[in-house]
Amino acid sequence: MKKSLTAIQPSGILHLGNLIGAIEPAVQLQETSQLSMFIVDYHAMTVPQKPVELRKNILFAAAAYLGCGIDPVKTTMFQQSRISEHTELAWILNCVAKIGELERMTQYKDKSQKLNVKSQSEGVSVGLFDYPVLMAADILLYDTEVVPVGEDQKQHVELARDLAERFNKQFGETFVIPEPKIRAEGARIMGLDDATKKMSKSATSAKSYISLMDESDVIRKKIMSAVTDSGTEIRTDRNRPAITNLLTIFSIVTRRSVESIEHSYVGKGYGDFKKDLAEAVVSYLDPIRAKIQTYLADETELKHILNDGAERAKKQAQFKMHRIRQKLGITL
Ligand code: ATP
Ligand code: LTN
């Protein structure tokens, strides 16, 4: 079986984009590959976090994975900070990575700008800059072959590939070269209030996203007030990003093709379309939200699942780090 791996930051909410772009593909991959799925709490710390909130968000992410269909028996599910080898390997890869290549990471450029600090050099954490190296360590530590992620993470997976190749060249075959797995449709769900920006947790307005925990009426309101483009036709078009995005969501949550949906709305308006879309999203998310709530109510069970996953991950990580240290010449 191939090895696949993905992770999500515990930064409060999870939205429909996270579910479609990353979690759903992972749920499918756990049937055909050996999946590791974890919660990257050290990545979350690259921007300021309140300890009480972070703890809550880690448990929420675990409940969300389970509620969305991750099976902790098939999948190794754990918390990143429990496996110290991630940060150990990140240090080693820091010595392989070049400042110039990290400066080219678009997520770093966007996020450091958004932080809006007086002076870039004073205000942005070194962690935010180094974030992709820690992500490379996450991936390479487990001999990962496939990394299911949304479009925005492709550049980071490519960096992991570059670092693995550079290391292998310098020290001999050590790392497997990972492949990003990006779904054809839905790898970049756009914001409901601005279809030129991706749906994002850190959006300034909650109207931008549909949270996995939004109640049915909130979902309905958000979809009914989603921006639309000029023109009235319900049809995908490169120049009409808002309706294209809504059609993509409709297609994914109903598992119908975009063409068949377009066909059903010939001669009808946005009002009818949005009403039906809202109901489709509500039916899709309702059972997931209910399952997440059930898991959230049992903290002991969540901790038990994460502990069990950490024990399994630790064995693999220790084995790999031993080999890496040998390659580096630091094993005496
Ligand atoms: P932020 O926007 O605040 O950086 P995020 O919403 O991108 O956060 P992450 O934890 O960074 O959330 O992403 C988790 C996973 O979800 C990644 O694989 C990412 O590619 C995917 N993802 C995030 N946003 C979207 C989106 N709008 N459409 C599809 N996939 C997405
Ligand atoms: N940077 C990713 C989260 C992440 C990740 C990983 C994804 C951290 N380590 C390893 C896949 C594989 C993000 O979604 N923001």
Side-chain angles (χ1 to χ4, degrees):
M1 267 213 215
K2 277 202 170 179
K3 284 185 151 190
S4 59
L5 170 146
T6 197
I8 290 191
Q9 300 189 67
S11 33
I13 67 129
L14 284 174
H15 54 70
L16 190 61
N18 300 135
L19 174 58
I20 293 176
I23 305 178
E24 236 195 37
V27 170
Q28 281 168 19
L29 268 173
Q30 73 182 344
E31 303 305 327
T32 52
S33 70
Q34 199 183 320
L35 175 70
S36 295
M37 178 121 190
F38 51 105
I39 300 159
V40 285
D41 43 2
Y42 278 160
H43 276 100
M45 285 166 54
T46 57
V47 294
Q49 298 286 337
K50 294 195 179 87
V52 177
E53 293 282 304
L54 183 58
R55 179 182 186 280
K56 209 173 82 194
N57 292 342
I58 292 166
L59 292 168
F60 170 70
Y65 281 1
L66 297 165
C68 293
I70 291 295
D71 173 347
V73 176
K74 289 185 191 149
T75 295
T76 309
M77 191 179 123
F78 61 99
Q79 187 188 347
Q80 179 191 39
S81 60
R82 286 285 304 276
I83 314 296
S84 50
E85 283 78 2
H86 288 239
T87 39
E88 187 177 354
L89 179 55
W91 176 257
I92 293 166
L93 295 176
N94 272 333
C95 302
V96 176
K98 308 294 170 202
I99 289 180
E101 61 194 344
L102 293 188
E103 279 172 343
R104 284 196 291 276
M105 295 292 123
T106 52
Q107 183 182 292
Y108 170 70
K109 287 194 259 186
D110 290 351
K111 288 205 171 176
S112 54
Q113 255 168 25
K114 266 199 206 154
L115 282 174
N116 198 17
V117 284
K118 277 188 231 109
S119 127
Q120 290 289 310
S121 54
E122 271 178 29
V124 178
S125 76
V126 175
L128 189 66
F129 182 65
D130 201 31
Y131 174 121
V133 177
L134 178 58
M135 177 163 162
D138 293 343
I139 296 171
L140 301 180
L141 191 54
Y142 297 96
D143 292 333
T144 308
E145 294 161 277
V146 183
V147 188
V149 278
E151 177 68 40
D152 60 313
Q153 294 300 319
K154 190 170 172 219
Q155 194 186 27
H156 291 161
V157 181
E158 278 161 2
L159 177 81
R161 288 171 64 87
D162 291 345
L163 298 182
E165 275 164 7
R166 199 173 303 152
F167 188 102
N168 286 352
K169 223 185 221 168
Q170 209 174 330
F171 300 103
E173 266 326 290
T174 309
F175 294 122
V176 171
I177 312 297
E179 290 278 350
K181 187 174 167 71
I182 295 175
R183 62 187 295 171
E185 302 294 338
R188 191 173 172 81
I189 299 294
M190 308 310 282
L192 296 180
D193 59 343
D194 180 353
T196 62
K197 298 204 178 94
K198 83 170 182 100
M199 188 177 279
S200 160
K201 298 171 190 166
S202 42
T204 37
S205 160
K207 281 187 180 163
S208 160
Y209 56 75
I210 293 175
S211 156
L212 301 189
M213 298 312 277
D214 278 345
E215 299 286 341
S216 307
D217 277 346
V218 176
I219 298 177
R220 290 190 185 101
K221 270 195 199 128
K222 286 185 179 178
I223 291 184
M224 293 312 287
S225 63
V227 290
T228 45
D229 322 87
S230 55
T232 53
E233 266 178 292
I234 313 294
R235 190 172 41 79
T236 51
D237 182 332
R238 214 183 321 143
N239 300 317
R240 299 173 72 219
I243 187 68
T244 303
N245 186 44
L246 296 181
L247 274 164
T248 304
I249 296 174
F250 206 147
S251 160
I252 290 170
V253 302
T254 57
R255 304 194 195 285
R256 280 175 64 191
S257 72
V258 168
E259 294 73 36
S260 106
I261 299 167
E262 284 174 341
H263 192 71
S264 321
Y265 289 93
V266 174
K268 294 188 186 162
Y270 278 133
D272 289 332
F273 171 77
K274 280 182 166 179
K275 244 184 236 155
D276 294 347
L277 171 61
E279 292 317 312
V281 174
V282 165
S283 322
Y284 179 74
L285 288 183
D286 261 0
I288 292 178
R289 186 172 67 254
K291 279 190 212 144
I292 297 176
Q293 268 155 350
T294 308
Y295 283 112
L296 270 180
D298 193 348
E299 193 176 308
T300 312
E301 174 66 2
L302 286 177
K303 288 199 283 191
H304 172 77
I305 290 172
L306 290 176
N307 265 330
D308 179 61
E311 276 171 26
R312 280 148 64 188
K314 185 77 181 172
K315 285 195 193 111
Q316 298 176 45
Q318 278 177 326
F319 181 81
K320 186 73 188 179
M321 268 316 299
H322 179 68
R323 198 169 143 72
I324 297 166
R325 283 191 218 99
Q326 280 179 330
K327 292 277 185 181
L328 288 166
I330 55 178
T331 306
L332 304 182

